[in-house]
Amino acid sequence: MQTQSIITCPVCHHASAETMPIDACQFFYDCRGCGTRLKPKSGDCCVYCSYGSVPCPPIQQNGKCC
């Protein structure tokens, strides 16, 4: 299981390597480039599944989220 993901802002395209929580979903993420607060896209459980290079650990392990 991977715990690092590169999250990319859809507004300014700033990319940042982040450590994902192992046992929870992260619903909000503040972009370090422009400050935009990201929320999951419709149908996704967290910001990593929407904007990350790797889906969140619960999805990686179980195929479903929290």
Side-chain angles (χ1 to χ4, degrees):
M1 174 175 51
Q2 293 182 311
T3 59
Q4 293 286 318
S5 184
I6 298 171
I7 194 163
T8 303
C9 177
V11 176
C12 73
H13 306 289
H14 180 268
S16 182
E18 302 290 344
T19 300
M20 298 181 281
I22 293 173
D23 58 352
C25 295
Q26 186 169 334
F27 297 106
F28 300 105
Y29 176 82
D30 294 327
C31 174
R32 294 181 186 204
C34 67
T36 298
R37 175 161 279 193
L38 304 180
K39 296 183 289 185
K41 293 177 184 176
S42 179
D44 285 342
C45 63
C46 69
V47 292
Y48 292 105
C49 289
S50 293
Y51 307 105
S53 60
V54 176
C56 68
I59 293 288
Q60 291 179 54
Q61 282 189 309
N62 307 321
K64 56 184 173 180
C65 204
C66 314

